[in-house]
Amino acid sequence: MLNLVEGPAANLVREMAVYFNTDLVEGNDASTITMNNKKAKGSISSYQLFNGLSVCLYNIAYSSEFKIDLALSRDGPIYFYYNIKSHFLNRFGEQGTFVKVLQNQSMILIVSPHNSIQITFPANIKLEIAVIIVDTKLLGRLAISNAKRMSTKIQKLFERIPKNQPYR
C-alpha cells in the first residue's frame, strides 16, 4: 500500500515516481511519470490549471493490485472522478465496505477532516481515469474572475453537505 498525504497533485505524482522507481518529468505546472516495469505499464500525469484547480490523468495497468491510502487535510479539496475505462474500489477511512466505481461512472468526493480515502486499483486491467481537483478556498483567493466565480458556484452547490462527514 502506498501511503500519501493530501497536497498538490504534482506532489502526489512525485511520491508515486519514487514508489514505482521511475523518472518524473516536470515543467509548466505539469508532472508526468511513465512506467514500463514489473510494477506497472502506462502513465500518470497532473496539470495545475491555476492555483486551486488541477487535473490528474491515469492511463495505466498495474501488475498487481495497487492500494493507496490518502490522508486528508483539514480543508480538503473536492474530487471529481470520471472513470473512462475499467473499474476501481473506493472507501472512506476504515469503512468496512468498498464502493466499486464502474466504467463511465463519475463520482464526487468531499472529505471530512481527519479522514482518509482508500483506493484499490485492480491488477492487469488498463485503467483510464480523469480526476479534477478543486480547492474552493484557493480559487477564491485568486485575482481571476473566472476562478472566483467557479469557487462561489461550487461552494453554493455543496453548501448543504455536512462538513463533519465525508460525501460520495
Side-chain angles (χ1 to χ4, degrees):
M1 179 180 299
L2 175 60
N3 293 306
L4 299 171
V5 176
E6 185 175 62
N11 290 353
L12 300 179
V13 174
R14 276 187 211 104
E15 290 184 45
M16 287 186 191
V18 171
Y19 180 84
F20 286 108
N21 192 27
T22 191
D23 292 332
L24 171 69
V25 177
E26 292 183 286
N28 297 328
D29 294 325
S31 301
T32 300
I33 56 174
T34 303
M35 294 153 282
N36 188 5
N37 56 35
K38 292 179 182 178
K39 292 183 179 180
K41 293 187 184 341
S43 65
I44 300 171
S45 300
S46 73
Y47 305 92
Q48 182 175 321
L49 305 175
F50 39 82
N51 203 17
L53 181 62
S54 300
V55 176
C56 286
L57 302 173
Y58 294 78
N59 187 0
I60 193 163
Y62 298 102
S63 301
S64 60
E65 185 177 82
F66 177 54
K67 296 179 180 185
I68 295 175
D69 186 89
L70 178 61
L72 303 169
S73 62
R74 180 180 165 96
D75 294 319
I78 301 170
Y79 295 86
F80 296 85
Y81 283 80
Y82 181 66
N83 191 21
I84 301 161
K85 185 175 182 181
S86 189
H87 69 277
F88 64 94
L89 304 174
N90 169 267
R91 73 177 174 185
F92 293 114
E94 296 296 326
Q95 285 180 335
T97 309
F98 279 91
V99 172
K100 189 173 190 177
V101 182
L102 302 171
Q103 182 168 313
N104 296 321
Q105 185 174 356
S106 58
M107 174 176 69
I108 299 170
L109 290 179
I110 300 174
V111 296
S112 63
H114 312 297
N115 207 336
S116 68
I117 298 171
Q118 293 182 352
I119 302 170
T120 301
F121 297 109
N124 302 312
I125 295 176
K126 177 75 173 211
L127 297 161
E128 292 179 17
I129 303 167
V131 184
I132 299 171
I133 305 166
V134 179
D135 187 324
T136 56
K137 288 184 180 25
L138 291 177
L139 281 177
R141 291 185 200 137
L142 295 176
I144 301 170
S145 60
N146 285 340
K148 287 182 183 282
R149 191 173 320 126
M150 183 185 300
S151 174
T152 301
K153 289 185 184 265
I154 290 173
Q155 285 179 7
K156 191 170 205 130
L157 279 172
F158 296 107
E159 66 188 6
R160 291 192 180 121
I161 296 172
K163 304 281 188 244
N164 61 347
Q165 60 187 29
Y167 170 82
R168 179 183 311 111

